[in-house]
Amino acid sequence: MQENLDIITIGEGLVELSAPSLLKNSECFDKYYGGDTLVSAIAALRSGSAVGYITKIGNDSFGEYLLDAWQSEGLDSSQVKLSKGQNGIYFVGSTCTGDTNKREYQYYRQKTAASTLSVDDINFDYIKRGKLVYATGFVQSLSLSVREAVGEVFKFAKEHDILTAYDPNCQKCGMNKDEALENFDLIRDYIDIMFIETTDAQTLFDITSTDMIITKLSDLAIKMVVVKDPENGISIYENNERVNIPPLDFEMVDATGVSNAFNGAFLSRYLDGVSAFNAGRYASALCLLQMQNVGAVKSIPYKNLVDEYCGKIYG
């Protein structure tokens, strides 16, 4: 167990099996791992942060694989607990049509070990070791016990002057408005930093305008709002000031997990004292590099490469 951590994430580890063809035609798959907060955790870790992960995994061969992989990466997995439940799996295939290369996904994440995480599994002394706690609506949607655990951790963090960050990430799991709002309302009073895509804002609040999203969330006393708009880029609002990072043209191979990687990379640099604007540019550069390769996690670049690329594209 690491004494001091920059970021502590709560989430779900999934086995990723990817193929370069349509799933129905695929005979061989590459094995790796994914999961929304896990992608954020690895992006932060590869950007130089000390990161801890809280979850439960199934006590089987896939569980052994996940634990070994995370420990080899340097992720603090001291709070990962083994369970008799199964591990979640998702398959990624490629749908090549003309000059486009899109991905198809098939998830199997019902009643997994991660969904059995509860408040009783949380070591609150461990939470005190972190500078920031991060979770998503996608994680909250695993089960009622997970949602309660996330709520209690965020409340505890707020009471102990530990920063919190949240991404509703509701579109990715097909969450309806009522469930998404219930998840958000449970912890909104404890959120310091909120990442949100315009599609999620539409689900939650029936708005897509960046100006309206920032107004809505800042009125709820959320200190920093990071809005992701595929047409207009990234807008970051903090201390009554707003900065914008326009989108760049790039060659994309695979966008799996890219929004989650942005969050982890941004938090890593921001906690290291970098301005929100430069943290956003760093995170954007990391994502551009990530999308040039396949896989949610294995495509995430390391800090030295991102710094070099960031200098090339932003000067």
Side-chain angles (χ1 to χ4, degrees):
M1 179 189 296
Q2 297 186 37
E3 276 299 313
N4 297 303
L5 295 164
D6 297 305
I7 300 169
I8 295 173
T9 55
I10 306 171
E12 169 192 34
L14 297 168
V15 176
E16 177 189 84
L17 298 174
S18 62
S21 60
L22 289 167
L23 291 178
K24 68 177 184 178
N25 298 329
S26 301
E27 296 182 354
C28 297
F29 294 86
D30 290 326
K31 181 180 69 174
Y32 215 73
Y33 61 88
D36 69 339
T37 59
L38 188 57
V39 173
S40 301
I42 300 301
L45 191 150
R46 293 184 184 178
S47 296
S49 294
V51 184
Y53 202 63
I54 298 175
T55 191
K56 296 177 81 171
I57 58 176
N59 190 13
D60 57 19
S61 296
F62 278 137
E64 292 176 11
Y65 160 69
L66 292 172
L67 201 54
D68 287 348
W70 299 343
Q71 290 172 346
S72 296
E73 186 73 48
L75 187 66
D76 186 328
S77 53
S78 61
Q79 302 304 301
V80 175
K81 297 190 175 184
L82 296 176
S83 165
K84 292 182 179 179
Q86 64 186 2
N87 291 293
I89 296 176
Y90 70 99
F91 293 84
V92 186
S94 176
T95 59
C96 298
T97 56
D99 59 352
T100 64
N101 184 5
K102 297 182 179 180
R103 314 298 286 175
E104 59 171 333
Y105 301 91
Q106 185 67 54
Y107 287 89
Y108 297 91
R109 58 188 293 265
Q110 297 294 319
K111 299 181 179 179
T112 61
S115 69
T116 67
L117 185 77
S118 71
V119 174
D120 294 336
D121 295 310
I122 304 299
N123 177 353
F124 285 92
D125 286 333
Y126 181 78
I127 303 300
K128 291 180 182 178
R129 299 176 185 270
K131 296 178 182 177
L132 179 142
V133 172
Y134 174 71
T136 67
F138 194 79
V139 170
Q140 289 174 294
S141 71
L142 282 169
S143 68
L144 292 176
S145 68
V146 174
R147 186 170 68 179
E148 180 187 18
V150 170
E152 290 301 314
V153 169
F154 269 55
K155 180 181 179 182
F156 179 86
K158 194 70 169 181
E159 292 170 348
H160 290 80
D161 296 321
I162 299 166
L163 290 171
T164 62
Y166 180 74
D167 187 329
N169 204 11
C170 48
Q171 282 287 318
K172 300 295 189 301
C173 58
M175 206 183 303
N176 63 42
K177 179 178 181 177
D178 289 342
E179 184 181 0
L181 267 177
E182 193 171 356
N183 288 337
F184 172 67
D185 287 343
L186 181 67
I187 63 170
R188 72 178 191 182
D189 292 337
Y190 314 128
I191 299 171
D192 293 308
I193 302 170
M194 183 153 170
F195 301 95
I196 186 165
E197 297 185 28
T198 50
T199 51
D200 284 340
Q202 184 172 27
T203 297
L204 280 166
F205 311 122
D206 295 319
I207 55 177
T208 56
S209 160
T210 296
D211 290 340
M212 293 179 68
I213 295 168
I214 288 173
T215 299
K216 172 74 176 180
L217 295 175
S218 61
D219 284 349
L220 294 175
I222 295 175
K223 297 175 183 177
M224 180 187 292
V225 179
V226 182
V227 181
K228 304 171 187 177
D229 183 338
E231 298 296 326
N232 300 306
I234 308 295
S235 294
I236 305 169
Y237 178 85
E238 180 188 28
N239 297 327
N240 294 320
E241 294 185 0
R242 173 176 165 182
V243 295
N244 298 291
I245 302 170
L248 297 173
D249 292 330
F250 61 93
E251 184 176 330
M252 183 183 71
V253 175
D254 181 11
T256 305
V258 66
S259 182
N260 305 310
F262 178 96
N263 296 355
F266 178 93
L267 292 172
S268 173
R269 305 317 302 136
Y270 183 73
L271 290 174
D272 201 37
V274 174
S275 69
F277 178 63
N278 285 326
R281 296 209 302 183
Y282 172 92
S284 296
L286 180 142
C287 292
L288 290 174
L289 286 171
Q290 180 192 16
M291 287 188 285
Q292 293 173 25
N293 295 287
V294 176
V297 170
K298 63 182 176 182
S299 60
I300 298 173
Y302 288 84
K303 183 177 181 299
N304 59 341
L305 183 59
V306 180
D307 283 337
E308 180 181 348
Y309 188 62
C310 197
K312 288 181 180 178
I313 61 176
Y314 293 118

